[in-house]
Amino acid sequence: MRSARTALHELDEERLLRLVARGDRAAFEELYRRTSPWMAVRLRRRCADEQIVAEVMQETYLAVWRAAGAFAGAAAGGTAVGWLWTIAARRLVDAFRRRAHHAEPPPAAALRPVVPAAEEEALAATVGGDVGDALRRLAPELRQVLQAMVLDGLSVRETAVLLGLPEGTVKTRARRARIAMREALA
């Protein structure tokens, strides 16, 4: 048992996913041990509701267990971590949609000002002053790319996978966002 755990510890995430696809529970546990802490942090950056984060984490890893065989890997230009994050990001969007669809607004909701999205609140807390104002004035599609690449530290490829865009589009939007930011701060 000790040598099997040591062997799993030495494998990269892509190889672990290949073992998970074959039904290897120990490989799944190792993958979860490695990836769940950063996954939770990234989800919390986008959602302050711990219940939603917990649901998304559970749904993500259930999807990984069920669909690990669908991971194309480096052959398709992806990474195991990028694939995991794509699943989690989509599950988070689904959770937001479910909550919005099932939630009934309180009677006094019309009197309250519009509450910024969780991402906007996180962005405001992370980036303030003139930079924060300039970032919030960007078009949403430009801001998404800039947030993923700068605040989350994702590569162009990972951002493309996360947002479901071609890499060329990500590069173009990142360039346009940087130009807009320079102009706004000049």
Side-chain angles (χ1 to χ4, degrees), residues 40-118:
V41 168
R42 291 190 67 192
L43 288 169
R44 285 184 190 111
R45 281 189 194 168
R46 288 169 169 72
C47 178
D49 187 332
E50 283 297 320
Q51 184 178 359
I52 291 176
V53 170
E55 286 173 19
V56 169
M57 291 281 291
Q58 182 175 5
E59 290 174 12
T60 297
Y61 285 99
L62 181 60
V64 167
W65 176 254
R66 289 179 176 165
F71 173 63
T79 65
V81 172
W83 186 72
L84 285 168
W85 176 242
T86 300
I87 293 170
R90 289 184 177 155
R91 294 295 187 272
L92 183 61
V93 169
D94 291 345
F96 285 151
R97 286 181 182 151
R98 277 192 309 271
R99 293 286 168 114
H101 179 72
H102 295 298
E104 290 188 27
L111 304 175
R112 295 182 187 169
V114 175
V115 177

Side-chain angles (χ1 to χ4, degrees), residues 14-163:
E14 184 168 344
R15 288 189 178 132
L16 286 172
L17 266 176
R18 301 278 179 231
L19 291 173
V20 171
R22 294 186 207 138
D24 187 328
R25 285 187 176 272
F28 179 78
E29 289 170 6
E30 177 66 18
L31 182 69
Y32 181 83
R33 186 192 65 73
R34 281 190 208 175
T35 59
S36 64
W38 68 261
M39 179 81 68
V41 168
R42 291 190 67 192
L43 288 169
R44 285 184 190 111
R45 281 189 194 168
R46 288 169 169 72
C47 178
D49 187 332
E50 283 297 320
Q51 184 178 359
I52 291 176
V53 170
E55 286 173 19
V56 169
M57 291 281 291
Q58 182 175 5
E59 290 174 12
T60 297
Y61 285 99
L62 181 60
V64 167
W65 176 254
R66 289 179 176 165
F71 173 63
T79 65
V81 172
W83 186 72
L84 285 168
W85 176 242
T86 300
I87 293 170
R90 289 184 177 155
R91 294 295 187 272
L92 183 61
V93 169
D94 291 345
F96 285 151
R97 286 181 182 151
R98 277 192 309 271
R99 293 286 168 114
H101 179 72
H102 295 298
E104 290 188 27
L111 304 175
R112 295 182 187 169
V114 175
V115 177
E119 250 187 10
E120 292 298 323
E121 289 177 359
L123 180 61
T126 304
V127 182
D130 294 340
V131 174
D133 292 340
L135 191 56
R136 284 185 286 281
R137 283 194 300 265
L138 283 177
E141 67 273 6
L142 299 181
R143 187 172 49 243
Q144 278 182 325
V145 168
L146 210 56
Q147 281 180 292
M149 292 180 71
V150 176
L151 296 179
D152 291 341
L154 299 179
S155 68
V156 171
R157 178 175 290 155
E158 290 169 331
T159 301
V161 170
L162 172 65
L163 299 176

